[in-house]
Amino acid sequence: MEWEEEIEERIEIVCNDHNNDDHMMNQKQPLLLRRRINNSSQQAIVGANICPIQSLDYELIENDLLKQDWRSRTKVEIYQYVVLKWSLALLIGLITGFVGFFNNLGVENIAGFKLLLTNNLMLKQKYHEAFAAYVACNMILGAAAAALCAYIAPAAAGSGIPEVKAYLNGIDAHSILAPSTLFVKIFGSILGVAAGFVVGKEGPMVHTGACIANLLGQGGSRKYRLTWKWLRYFKNDRDRRDLITCGAAAGVAAAFRAPVGGVLFALEEAASWWRSALLWRTFFTTAVVAVVLRSFIQFCHQGGGKCGLFGEGGLIMFDVNSAKPSYTTFDLLTVIFLGVIGGLMGSLYNYLVDKVLRTYTAINERGPIFKILLVMIISIVTSCIRFGLPLLSKCVQCPGECPSPPTAGFSIHYDNFQCPPNHYNDLSSLLFTTNDDAIRNLFSNGSDSANAGFQLSTLIIFFVAIYLLGIVTYGAAIPSGLFIPVILAGASYGRLIGTVLDQFTVLDTGLFALLGAASFLGGTMRMTVSLCVILLELTDNLLMLPLVMLVLLISKTVADCFNKGVYDQIVEFKGLPYMEAHAEPYMRNLVAGDVVSGPLFSFCGIEKVGNIVHALKVTKHHGFPVIDEPPLTDSPELCGLVLRSHLLVLLKHKTLFTRERVLTGSTIMNKVKASDFAKPGLGRGIIRVEDLDISQEDMEMFVDLHPITNTSPYTVVETMSLAKAALLFRELGLRHLLVVPKKPGRPPIVGILTRHDFMSEYILGLFPNLNQD
């Protein structure tokens, strides 16, 4: 065909095909992915499945159509936009706060009934029946959580923080923030934590908050018949990014009741772009979450059992240690030692988690049944350890009279697990309970419990069990957070060290448990400011601030000598092409022109419809340069960049086609609106090239691309260093960065840089002799 020959003549082949983010698959993907995925695809592990991914467009598009829309907006519409932003922040806070309360209430009541059932059987000396009931309950709950992830929303598996972090960096994946993912994240997290797995609901709450923000920001879901036309203003990646940042912060605030910590978490760990206006909205959102949670707590306190088995709804708040922190020089040396231990143990933890993730991914690839079987095996092992290890522990005499057997609203620090009267099992009070209660017991004053604390053997056994169970559980196909397992393990060795040094230090063993938790958190997650504030808000103990700061700084510094933080490590393992805040040193030895390649598909300002359709069919590129040629200009010059999604919308309006190559910009701007080109949400609003009804006669017609062309795309000269281009690309949140020639007389564009071009393995594949030192 004539139009096919024409487009073939205009394709400039430079080397391997990767014009833009069609090829942005991270070259750092695990070996098991490389065996199945060719180098030109865009796929990564999202949750527990391999899914296609693409870049997000955080750049402000400036074309004639959008400029006209901006100029036509009245003051009322501008105020409406601002009010809607704050209204959405309010809604995100309200809904996330309610979901956080519902999560805690669900976990504590389900786990509470399970423990009461088992305890009642044990009190009747029916130990075999108690063990069978405990294992059966855990397996049913675990299998239900795994089935939800395996069959409904595989993207909901794991903590979700790496996926949210990648999204805010500019990486999108199907269903990563979908309504189905939100549903499974909520109920799967409740079932998984209640099943006794060594996982937390705090990481999944971050993902949950982001899903809620995305659902509101995209105007609902057409697939589930939940749409709100009044949210049309936010149908772009830039506004959704801000809302999802608020949602992630709200998730932390709801999980830990730490509103300031939530803001700092979003700033330090989740978001790749930040500005003062976003700070205000994020802080407002977390404040709303705090008010909602406090209201529910008051309701439960005054309700007299309205919240079910547990009066406070199980909301985390470990303000159980009333000891006044005072410390000496020896205490400071001990804290430094704790920081070193936390750094070493945290880096080892990250290394082992990475190995387990690779193993589990190979198992999960076999299908949903294998995902569920893996979860059930882990459930059996966890149940045997939680029930069996306390049987090996010695009974400890209660200080005075032991509390009565567990009843509604109980706290089982003094658990008489198979012990004679006036005795309790301290290992059972850590293992045979909920994770939150175990943390409360570890953080409690040493003077408040028998023998001034737990036995050394109890703390050692508990640390080894939790450390290993936390590693083998993460990566299974259930929603699972890392915060609680890490806090449990850190608090146990912190209290262990405090107990050993009790004769030489003035710090309480409960405060040592807090410092141990801080050291292990710093060693695994490599955050400092946000973790410090979260821990202080959790424990309501501001006097511990200097020691917590010190132990976090030391543990992070030590752990950084060995590997990356756990979330960065998981992002890399999953194959998500994350843009780091700094460029690699070897990038300074390269220029932008060294890594651009082709073939480069470009369009004329007035292009033949057949050429556009052919290019859209033979490529998956999301951006195409538009070049004006004579007679429109004296010589070829770069007009701008047109997006694939905009071309598809334009091709749906066949009345805009002309038989001659003429400018029709004014006609197009009268017949279509800027809202027609807004980005649709997930579901039925996405246009594909296969959906177009283009006849052979239409193929020979022309269409003017000028009204939808971004006439001010970001460009760099081909001699700019690759390191400088990488920083520019990340800081501006770009999807495409155009490379133009340095000297005149050449074609107006050399190529397009996308996320793929800055990935280390791709660059080192082109230049294997680069010195990375």
Side-chain angles (χ1 to χ4, degrees), residues 13 33 143 159 171 209 300 494 501 544 549 551 560 569 582 657 768:
I13 299 179
L33 277 179
S159 74
I171 304 164
C300 288
L501 301 177
M544 288 294 291
M549 291 174 64
V551 78
D560 280 340
Q569 194 170 270
H582 60 276
F657 300 167

Side-chain angles (χ1 to χ4, degrees), residues 36-156:
R36 304 182 345 132
I37 302 172
N38 60 50
N39 288 335
S40 63
S41 64
Q42 321 171 48
Q43 301 199 30
I45 302 174
V46 178
N49 266 19
I50 297 174
C51 301
I53 57 173
Q54 60 177 324
S55 290
L56 294 166
D57 221 333
Y58 293 148
E59 179 185 357
L60 283 174
I61 304 298
E62 292 185 348
N63 57 40
D64 294 341
L65 202 60
L66 290 175
K67 287 178 182 177
Q68 181 188 37
D69 180 64
W70 294 335
R71 288 192 295 265
S72 64
R73 287 189 182 181
T74 64
K75 285 187 177 181
V76 173
E77 289 178 316
I78 294 173
Y79 286 130
Q80 184 182 18
Y81 172 74
V82 175
V83 170
L84 280 176
K85 272 192 172 183
W86 287 95
S87 299
L88 281 179
L90 174 65
L91 283 174
I92 292 168
L94 290 172
I95 298 173
T96 307
F98 173 77
V99 170
F101 174 77
F102 176 74
N103 272 10
N104 285 280
L105 202 64
V107 167
E108 293 294 325
N109 280 279
I110 294 173
F113 281 117
K114 176 188 69 177
L115 293 172
L116 278 178
L117 172 64
T118 309
N119 256 293
N120 289 335
L121 290 172
M122 293 180 68
L123 290 173
K124 297 175 183 178
Q125 307 297 312
K126 297 179 179 180
Y127 297 114
H128 293 94
E129 292 88 340
F131 175 71
Y134 185 71
V135 173
C137 287
N138 286 343
M139 282 187 63
I140 292 171
L141 292 171
L148 287 174
C149 283
Y151 290 105
I152 298 179

Side-chain angles (χ1 to χ4, degrees), residues 402-446:
C402 279
S404 58
T407 55
F410 69 92
S411 174
I412 49 178
H413 183 75
Y414 297 101
D415 189 355
N416 65 347
F417 193 93
Q418 267 198 328
C419 289
N422 256 359
H423 289 72
Y424 75 101
N425 190 315
D426 59 347
L427 184 56
S428 174
S429 66
L430 294 178
L431 281 174
F432 196 67
T433 182
T434 62
N435 293 330
D436 294 349
D437 276 333
I439 295 175
R440 289 187 181 94
N441 292 337
L442 288 169
F443 282 3
S444 62
N445 288 358

Side-chain angles (χ1 to χ4, degrees), residues 400-546:
E401 185 177 355
C402 279
S404 58
T407 55
F410 69 92
S411 174
I412 49 178
H413 183 75
Y414 297 101
D415 189 355
N416 65 347
F417 193 93
Q418 267 198 328
C419 289
N422 256 359
H423 289 72
Y424 75 101
N425 190 315
D426 59 347
L427 184 56
S428 174
S429 66
L430 294 178
L431 281 174
F432 196 67
T433 182
T434 62
N435 293 330
D436 294 349
D437 276 333
I439 295 175
R440 289 187 181 94
N441 292 337
L442 288 169
F443 282 3
S444 62
N445 288 358
S447 58
D448 288 347
S449 53
N451 300 326
F454 296 91
Q455 301 175 84
L456 291 179
S457 58
T458 295
L459 294 171
I460 293 172
I461 293 171
F462 180 73
F463 167 71
V464 174
I466 291 298
Y467 191 89
L468 296 178
L469 284 176
I471 292 169
V472 300
T473 306
Y474 193 82
I478 57 172
S480 53
L482 281 171
F483 273 98
I484 291 301
V486 169
I487 291 175
L488 278 170
S492 59
Y493 75 68
R495 190 166 186 118
L496 173 64
I497 292 174
T499 304
V500 171
L501 301 177
D502 188 51
Q503 302 298 322
F504 309 99
T505 178
V506 297
L507 278 177
D508 183 79
T509 52
L511 298 180
F512 267 108
L514 171 62
L515 293 172
S519 70
F520 200 28
L521 283 167
T524 54
M525 300 182 182
R526 315 296 163 82
M527 293 181 279
T528 51
V529 179
S530 56
L531 283 179
C532 182
V533 174
I534 288 172
L535 286 171
L536 294 178
E537 288 183 289
L538 267 178
T539 57
D540 196 22
N541 198 338
L542 191 60
L543 296 175
M544 288 294 291
L545 176 61

Side-chain angles (χ1 to χ4, degrees), residues 13-32:
I13 299 179
V14 183
C15 62
N16 295 328
D17 180 7
H18 82 284
N19 181 27
N20 45 54
D21 50 64
D22 165 43
H23 44 61
M24 72 168 224
M25 168 188 158
N26 189 354
Q27 299 296 314
K28 296 179 180 179
Q29 292 190 23
L31 183 60
L32 57 98

Side-chain angles (χ1 to χ4, degrees), residues 251-281:
V252 175
F256 292 109
R257 283 175 57 192
V260 179
V263 175
L264 294 175
F265 175 86
L267 171 61
E268 183 177 6
E269 181 66 15
S272 294
W273 298 278
W274 198 263
R275 61 184 191 278
S276 58
L278 181 58
L279 175 66
W280 278 102
R281 277 198 300 277

